[in-house]
Amino acid sequence: MKFLMAVMMMIMMKSPKTTILNYSLIMLLFNLNLQKQEVAKISYFMWGDELSFWTCSLAIWIIFILIFNKINLSMTYNKFMFMMLTLLMLTFYSWNLMMFYLMFEMSMIIVLSIIMTWGYQPERVEAALFMIMMTVLTSLPFIISMMNNSTNLNLWNIQYMKVNSWEYMSLMLIFMMKMPTMFLHMWLPKVHVESPAQGSMILASILLKLGSYGLIRVTAINMKLNSKLEWIIMSFSLCTTLTMTMICFIQTDLKTMIAYSSIVHMTTVFAAITLNKTKAMVGSVYIMIGHGVCSAGLFYMANIIYKTSKSRSIILNKGIFSMSPTATMMWFFMCMGNSPMPPSINIMGEFFSFKSVMNWSSINLMIIMMMMIMFLSSLYSIFMFYVVTHGKFKKSIMTVSTFNSKNMNICFMSIIPMILISVNPDLLTI
């Protein structure tokens, strides 16, 4: 069935854009309608589970947003988008570790193609090469460990896979690079800065979730080994999260600040997944879905700012949204979702994750560190909102472009899911 869906997507690529939109909407509604019926869930129909369902729904929603954008070479762009969606569906519904690995590496190739085709700076070649180099370096140990365990790569029976410490670390390493976590994150801000808005949106909203999705799948491999390394992993996660929140304050580029904030969220998800507790897993899924739609909206609005002022500098764009109340409201919802604050689903994910970490260790230093992370991660989001919407903007951008209906629709589509899911968060329970 999953391969038939991929064939259907390839047929749809040859249709006009309006037909593609209609098919995408029907497919999404069909997907969501079946979710409420226990027997007829499309996830189980396609040999998946609720984690597969929600990550695939996120991918469909983001691709649906992206094909609204007007862009050069629109036919080529639409084909790239639906090739990406086909690969993501095969990734989220694949139950073999080697198949999963191949599919998400192929999806990175499409993102590289988007960066090289629609990027506007010559430095994008350097960023793409850096991304390829990091991927190859982390992939080689992973491939060796999979070759050593070639008979136990089915994700249904992954808990029976016997690995030693080095093989376990190679499995962790590839997913940590995709999330990414500290010391393996250097490629992400560079790629975000050089990529077009569409590349940044799909990279931040979906491809960063592939790392956390894969990590959730392989956490059951060796619980004894995981429990031995828990102290090292948790200490690394919390210290690096605190470091990354401080790095966010020294950024002058708006896209770089949003990229570093993604690393903060993903490192929190990494800490929660490592604990392998029910509450922590639920919290990590909340953050994955909430951050997926929120980061796409932030990058889109950062692109609107760039097109207006021809600069991504936070200082030069001071007060740029002060003349547009609608844009200010949209930016407020997205920054508060990134912060996170109610009514966004992100805040529930952060609370669940931090509560699980506090239950794991009641040391006073750990609690103090968690409080600092919660405070500082909210502070830079508030700073990002305040600078762009308050103050007197420079005279060279006195003609602020109007916030048109297309921009408003795309921003609404990024805000509405993270608010509506928080109304009934039990839907995301895995």
Side-chain angles (χ1 to χ4, degrees):
M1 178 62 192
K2 62 188 79 170
F3 289 103
L4 283 175
M5 294 290 274
V7 171
M8 286 169 59
M9 299 304 296
M10 298 299 286
I11 293 168
M12 285 163 58
M13 281 166 54
K14 297 181 180 179
S15 306
K17 191 171 182 180
T18 52
T19 315
I20 288 172
L21 284 172
N22 294 334
Y23 277 133
S24 302
L25 187 58
I26 291 165
M27 189 175 171
L28 185 68
L29 293 173
F30 176 66
N31 205 357
L32 290 174
N33 282 336
L34 289 179
Q35 170 64 12
K36 290 299 289 180
Q37 300 172 14
E38 292 298 325
V39 181
K41 285 180 182 173
I42 195 169
S43 303
Y44 297 144
F45 184 56
M46 293 176 64
W47 283 65
D49 57 4
E50 291 199 352
L51 179 62
S52 302
F53 169 80
W54 282 107
T55 46
C56 186
S57 295
L58 174 67
I60 294 170
W61 188 257
I62 297 298
I63 299 292
F64 186 55
I65 292 173
L66 285 170
I67 56 179
F68 270 108
N69 291 341
K70 288 181 181 177
I71 194 166
N72 297 331
L73 304 171
S74 58
M75 287 302 293
T76 311
Y77 174 72
N78 287 338
K79 288 179 181 178
F80 269 130
M81 287 296 106
F82 277 90
M83 283 168 62
M84 172 66 76
L85 186 53
T86 305
L87 286 173
L88 288 170
M89 288 177 67
L90 292 173
T91 305
F92 291 130
Y93 285 107
S94 65
W95 286 97
N96 183 280
L97 195 57
M98 180 64 86
M99 180 75 172
F100 171 74
Y101 166 73
L102 288 173
M103 287 297 124
F104 83 63
E105 290 297 349
M106 285 173 69
S107 61
M108 295 294 271
I109 291 169
I110 294 182
V111 170
L112 282 172
S113 305
I114 292 170
I115 292 167
M116 296 302 293
T117 308
W118 286 280
Y120 44 83
Q121 291 176 344
E123 288 84 0
R124 67 185 187 276
V125 180
E126 184 185 343
L129 287 173
F130 193 28
M131 182 179 174
I132 292 166
M133 185 183 70
M134 292 285 289
T135 304
V136 170
L137 284 174
T138 53
S139 294
L140 289 174
F142 178 75
I143 291 169
I144 293 166
S145 63
M146 281 199 296
M147 288 169 66
N148 291 338
N149 298 277
S150 57
T151 56
N152 292 316
L153 294 179
N154 191 346
L155 292 174
W156 289 102
N157 303 315
I158 199 78
Q159 66 268 24
Y160 301 117
M161 187 175 171
K162 300 297 180 185
V163 293
N164 57 34
S165 300
W166 291 107
E167 288 174 342
Y168 181 76
M169 287 308 293
S170 72
L171 287 171
M172 296 280 281
L173 197 65
I174 181 113
F175 296 126
M176 286 166 68
M177 201 284 288
K178 295 294 184 212
M179 290 181 72
T181 51
M182 183 78 165
F183 303 120
L184 296 170
H185 73 281
M186 288 84 76
W187 62 274
L188 186 71
K190 203 173 186 62
V191 170
H192 271 307
V193 166
E194 307 304 334
S195 66
Q198 291 77 16
S200 292
M201 286 168 75
I202 200 163
L203 184 65
S205 57
I206 303 170
L207 295 190
L208 296 191
K209 309 302 171 290
L210 287 173
S212 44
Y213 175 87
L215 204 61
I216 290 172
R217 293 292 187 214
V218 301
T219 40
I221 286 179
N222 199 332
M223 288 305 298
K224 289 182 181 177
L225 200 59
N226 198 6
S227 59
K228 285 180 186 176
L229 297 170
E230 256 182 11
W231 271 103
I232 299 170
I233 293 169
M234 294 303 295
S235 304
F236 166 79
S237 300
L238 294 177
C239 290
T240 53
T241 306
L242 189 59
T243 309
M244 296 309 291
T245 52
M246 293 177 180
I247 288 173
C248 283
F249 284 107
I250 62 171
Q251 300 304 315
T252 55
D253 191 308
L254 196 59
K255 280 184 87 170
T256 314
M257 181 181 262
I258 299 167
Y260 275 111
S261 71
S262 297
I263 299 168
V264 172
H265 288 294
M266 288 297 104
T267 313
T268 309
V269 169
F270 174 65
I273 293 170
T274 307
L275 290 173
N276 204 15
K277 306 290 183 187
T278 305
K279 194 181 291 183
M281 287 292 184
V282 170
S284 64
V285 174
Y286 286 169
I287 297 174
M288 282 165 61
I289 302 299
H291 176 261
V293 288
C294 178
S295 60
L298 282 169
F299 277 114
Y300 184 76
M301 291 204 74
N303 186 56
I304 293 172
I305 292 170
Y306 173 75
K307 286 197 290 188
T308 303
S309 66
K310 301 294 182 281
S311 171
R312 288 193 306 264
S313 171
I314 296 172
I315 305 303
L316 292 179
N317 288 307
K318 181 181 177 185
I320 194 168
F321 280 156
S322 59
M323 296 299 288
S324 176
T326 312
T328 303
M329 184 187 73
M330 300 290 181
W331 186 247
F332 172 77
F333 273 112
M334 287 171 188
C335 289
M336 293 307 103
N338 195 49
S339 182
M341 290 184 183
S344 167
I345 187 66
N346 300 46
I347 191 165
M348 294 191 68
E350 297 273 355
F351 277 150
F352 275 35
S353 303
F354 290 156
K355 183 68 170 64
S356 303
V357 174
M358 287 180 183
N359 288 346
W360 172 74
S361 174
S362 57
I363 300 172
N364 291 333
L365 180 62
M366 192 74 73
I367 296 169
I368 292 167
M369 191 176 287
M370 299 299 289
M371 289 174 66
M372 287 176 68
I373 291 168
M374 291 175 76
F375 174 71
L376 291 173
S377 64
S378 300
L379 200 60
Y380 66 74
S381 295
I382 295 167
F383 168 75
M384 191 162 63
F385 164 73
Y386 177 79
V387 171
V388 176
T389 56
H390 291 74
K392 189 176 180 180
F393 48 84
K394 62 189 180 113
K395 290 182 180 179
S396 59
I397 52 168
M398 284 297 283
T399 55
V400 179
S401 61
T402 55
F403 199 66
N404 59 33
S405 58
K406 187 196 79 171
N407 295 338
M408 200 182 302
N409 284 334
I410 291 175
C411 292
F412 264 123
M413 287 172 73
S414 300
I415 293 167
I416 286 169
M418 65 181 179
I419 295 174
L420 288 183
I421 293 171
S422 63
V423 175
N424 189 7
D426 290 338
L427 286 173
L428 292 179
T429 307
I430 56 171

